[in-house]
Amino acid sequence: MFNVVIFGAPGSGKGTQSDKIVEKYGLVHLSTGDILRAEIAKGSEVGKIADGLISKGQFVPDDVIIAVLENAINEHPQAKGFIFDGFPRTVTQAEALDSILKKKNIRVGVMLNIDVDQNELVKRLLNRGKTSGRSDDNLITIQERINVYEQKTMPVIQFYDKQGKHVRIKGTGTLDEVFAQIEAAIDSRIS
Ligand code: ADP
């Protein structure tokens, strides 16, 4: 079992790199954003809570998203490991993830922090917005998401830094250049 937290601002490329990690290492990809969008499409209770918050660039409450994540983990009892994408986004969520995994006698192996500068993030997200159909890929919401990221999510870096699990990945360059750094970080920690 090897678990990866893929971390970074909106537009940093977490989803794209997660696909490459799945392909090479066979881990199960859990994207809380994808799960919430599926809940919205289904019209579930969680979806109803998430809908307005997502389109404003705000977070779903910690207790809601923590329960969603724990359920998603439990749906994959045979997994070789997980990629957590979009979670944890607050220090409370990071603490919850540790305790959820501890109950199963497993742990986070590495936290990959994909670093991309703000101008590049805005450019990428506006570009994605032309085709993504996402309610949050517009300039006002993008700016709110980046602000919320800086205030609530950046402290999560220190949480993993203290545990010696934080690895900075330079998120600009080609997809393969970014992935090469990810492979090096995983290969040096996986047993
Ligand atoms: P991005 O990283 O591009 O912002 P995501 O698909 O990961 O996109 O998330 C989209 C939105 O879903 C977030 O802006 C937030 O509203 C909600 N969301 C996803 N994950 C979480 C989480 N761990 N905690 C709270 N809200 C979340």
Side-chain angles (χ1 to χ4, degrees), residues 71-92:
N71 285 336
I73 293 174
N74 288 335
E75 278 172 18
H76 298 278
Q78 309 292 349
K80 276 173 39 182
F82 294 97
I83 307 166
F84 300 108
D85 167 2
F87 189 100
R89 261 181 154 94
T90 63
V91 172
T92 304

Side-chain angles (χ1 to χ4, degrees), residues 57-142:
Q58 287 161 14
F59 285 171
V60 169
D62 281 334
D63 56 338
V64 174
I65 198 74
I66 289 165
V68 164
L69 195 268
E70 186 161 19
N71 285 336
I73 293 174
N74 288 335
E75 278 172 18
H76 298 278
Q78 309 292 349
K80 276 173 39 182
F82 294 97
I83 307 166
F84 300 108
D85 167 2
F87 189 100
R89 261 181 154 94
T90 63
V91 172
T92 304
Q93 293 178 21
E95 286 164 350
L97 181 61
D98 271 2
S99 56
I100 292 167
L101 296 183
K102 206 168 172 189
K103 282 192 258 173
K104 299 179 182 296
N105 251 323
I106 56 179
R107 54 198 279 281
V108 170
V110 68
M111 183 270 221
L112 305 168
N113 174 15
I114 309 186
D115 197 15
V116 174
D117 73 71
Q118 257 207 48
N119 290 340
E120 174 70 16
L121 293 173
V122 175
K123 213 168 75 189
R124 286 185 188 180
L125 290 167
L126 284 175
N127 203 32
R128 184 173 82 183
K130 291 180 194 155
T131 54
S132 69
R134 277 179 52 163
S135 63
D136 55 354
D137 284 343
N138 59 76
L139 189 56
I140 290 182
T141 309
I142 289 167

Side-chain angles (χ1 to χ4, degrees), residues 1-5 82 84 101 106-112 160 163-167 185-186 189-190:
M1 192 80 167
F2 190 80
N3 301 299
V4 174
V5 169
F82 294 97
F84 300 108
L101 296 183
I106 56 179
R107 54 198 279 281
V108 170
V110 68
M111 183 270 221
L112 305 168
Y160 288 107
Q163 296 188 357
K165 293 177 183 168
H166 166 227
V167 178
I186 293 177
R189 285 172 171 81
I190 206 165

